[in-house]
Amino acid sequence: MSHPATLPRRQMLAGSAAALSALGFAALGKGAHAQSAPAPAAAAPAAKPLPSYVAWKNPDALIVHSSSTLETRRSVFGTSVVTPASQLYIRNNLPAPDAAVVADRDGWSVSIEGVKNPRALTVAELKTLGLETVTTVLQCSGNGRGFFPSKPSGTPWTVGAAGCVVWSGVPLRNVVAALGGLASGAAYLTGTGGEKLPEGVDPLTVVVERSVPVKALDDAILAWEMNSEPMPLAHGGPLRLIVPGYQGVNNIKYVKRVAFGAEQSQARIMSHGYRMSPPGTKAGPDQPSVWEMTTKSWINGPLPEQGTLKAGLVQVHGVAFGGTRGIKGVDVSVDGGKTWQAAQLIGPDLGRFAWRQFVLPVRLAAGSHELLSRATDTAGNVQPEQREENLGGYNNASWRDHGVTVVVA
């Protein structure tokens, strides 16, 4: 598979770089100090190699948990907005289809149901119905699971099961309008993935099929392009359902069916998977589903693995997002949450579904410092201090969990 090119940062993210430069991040001014090199450590176990279907990605940017779960290293998020495809995380519930599905991208078809004139449309036909580009945070529902002391089953993600991505495709509302509008009784939008299902099992037990409230139709797109390149197979190409502001599992890869109806899907991944189930219970359809993302932020630098800091000026920076809402502001604490200071939002604002970069220049004296960030969205919702305990380790937005501790000498 060829390596998908990533969005040129010099074009999209010049504002972010300029802002940081002005604050002294790119070239620290008088009184500022860089981090010293970390002390030599014992050799770490050899990193797992990248699976063949993502061999084009940057192995130094990723933690390979398994062939279907790859996490972006916190240290490589950088200070720009868009996450390059080469370092974007991977979370697949089923193996990707054969690469042959991207040989004829325009020939891929998706069935549209629950409209007045239901029919299947090819990507080529979809391209005649409109075009929209949207930048969204793509985040696995279990991002932050690794901070749960209860050690829920599943990949122990910290912050790296997320990224900020530019998608291009046709607005789903245009497709619905072209097919006569919604049929009566539509309460949910359901997307079905086109992965090959194992034989000999009930399809409902394994199919990737998720339902979201029909209000998501206003912003959803059927995307064939990611970061200015054809959608990579590993990320859902040739066609992916993008539901801005919703957790990643609802953004269906290889989408082959979009249906509108009165009921949620009966697939197990919907009826029992990705539910906010209290500890000690069993997941079921009566419990809240993992849908919209909540207000969240974390710090990407400085980080403890970068070594000991020298006393002086430090640029504390990170990312913040609000799910379906934009970010109003971010506060940063360098003393474990005792006091807070307002950080500056930097770089281009790519819309309410994208994350914002933030920075706070601070002078740190010798000692240990716990760095924390706390975001507020445009509706006034403040990132919570504590996680919501649940069986699956989902939706962790705790600012306490996402802090880092650095040592200054």
Side-chain angles (χ1 to χ4, degrees):
M1 180 182 297
S2 61
H3 187 321
T6 56
L7 197 68
R9 292 187 178 187
R10 63 181 179 274
Q11 295 176 7
M12 287 291 296
L13 311 172
S16 179
L20 279 175
S21 178
L23 285 170
F25 187 87
L28 294 178
K30 184 178 180 181
H33 299 279
Q35 287 180 300
S36 60
K48 296 177 183 178
L50 293 178
S52 59
Y53 74 103
V54 287
W56 51 269
K57 285 184 177 281
N58 178 3
D60 296 329
L62 297 162
I63 302 166
V64 180
H65 294 287
S66 72
S67 63
S68 60
T69 52
L70 285 71
E71 180 172 4
T72 306
R73 295 186 183 277
R74 193 171 193 161
S75 58
V76 305
F77 276 119
T79 53
S80 297
V81 179
V82 175
T83 306
S86 62
Q87 64 189 48
L88 182 64
Y89 83 101
I90 290 285
R91 169 65 173 106
N92 288 334
N93 283 286
L94 288 174
D98 189 274
V101 301
V102 293
D104 178 17
R105 292 174 175 272
D106 282 354
W108 179 270
S109 68
V110 56
S111 174
I112 311 297
E113 303 172 12
V115 292
K116 292 179 180 176
N117 300 302
R119 57 162 292 191
L121 294 166
T122 65
V123 171
E125 290 172 315
L126 291 174
K127 288 180 177 179
T128 70
L129 299 179
L131 179 64
E132 192 164 283
T133 295
V134 61
T135 305
T136 77
V137 172
L138 182 70
Q139 177 182 235
C140 177
S141 318
N143 201 30
R145 181 185 289 126
F147 299 128
F148 278 74
S150 57
K151 305 297 181 187
S153 62
T155 305
W157 312 106
T158 55
V159 301
C164 193
V165 183
V166 180
W167 314 96
S168 289
V170 62
L172 186 55
R173 62 184 181 275
N174 286 23
V175 179
V176 169
L179 299 180
L182 294 176
S184 61
Y188 296 98
L189 184 171
T190 297
T192 307
E195 295 95 340
K196 180 178 173 57
L197 303 183
E199 297 179 1
V201 299
D202 179 354
L204 288 178
T205 64
V206 291
V207 67
V208 179
E209 184 173 270
R210 291 281 299 176
S211 301
V212 296
V214 74
K215 67 178 182 179
L217 172 62
D218 292 343
D219 302 304
I221 70 171
L222 293 171
W224 50 76
E225 192 173 284
M226 182 181 114
N227 286 0
S228 298
E229 292 291 328
M231 185 82 67
L233 177 72
H235 290 291
L239 191 70
R240 183 167 185 173
L241 172 64
I242 300 301
V243 189
Y246 283 67
Q247 295 282 19
V249 68
N250 302 293
N251 294 254
I252 302 297
K253 303 182 184 77
Y254 328 108
V255 62
K256 70 173 184 180
R257 174 179 173 267
V258 173
F260 299 90
E263 304 294 336
Q264 297 179 22
S265 168
Q266 295 302 303
R268 188 165 184 82
I269 196 173
M270 185 69 216
S271 62
H272 290 76
Y274 297 90
R275 296 279 172 172
M276 294 294 288
S277 310
T281 66
K282 291 186 177 181
D286 58 325
Q287 296 157 344
S289 188
V290 171
W291 279 335
E292 295 180 34
M293 292 184 287
T294 54
T295 307
K296 186 172 180 177
S297 71
W298 64 79
I299 287 167
N300 286 325
L303 299 175
E305 59 263 35
Q306 293 171 296
T308 302
L309 291 165
K310 293 182 180 179
L313 184 63
V314 173
Q315 307 287 336
V316 179
H317 65 92
V319 295
F321 53 97
T324 58
R325 301 179 179 90
I327 287 297
K328 180 180 180 181
V330 179
D331 295 324
V332 167
S333 174
V334 297
D335 56 11
K338 296 176 183 177
T339 62
W340 297 86
Q341 302 177 64
Q344 179 183 354
L345 298 178
I346 59 172
D349 182 351
L350 298 184
R352 62 190 173 102
F353 303 117
W355 63 31
R356 296 299 308 273
Q357 294 279 347
F358 64 85
V359 67
L360 178 70
V362 294
R363 289 191 177 275
L364 297 181
S368 178
H369 299 267
E370 185 181 5
L371 312 180
L372 301 164
S373 63
R374 182 180 65 189
T376 301
D377 70 22
T378 53
N381 299 303
V382 179
Q383 182 178 356
E385 178 177 2
Q386 303 298 336
R387 76 192 81 84
E388 181 180 350
E389 299 293 341
N390 64 92
L391 188 66
Y394 299 129
N395 287 1
N396 188 356
S398 160
W399 57 253
R400 180 67 68 184
D401 280 354
H402 287 77
V404 297
T405 299
V406 296
V407 176
V408 178

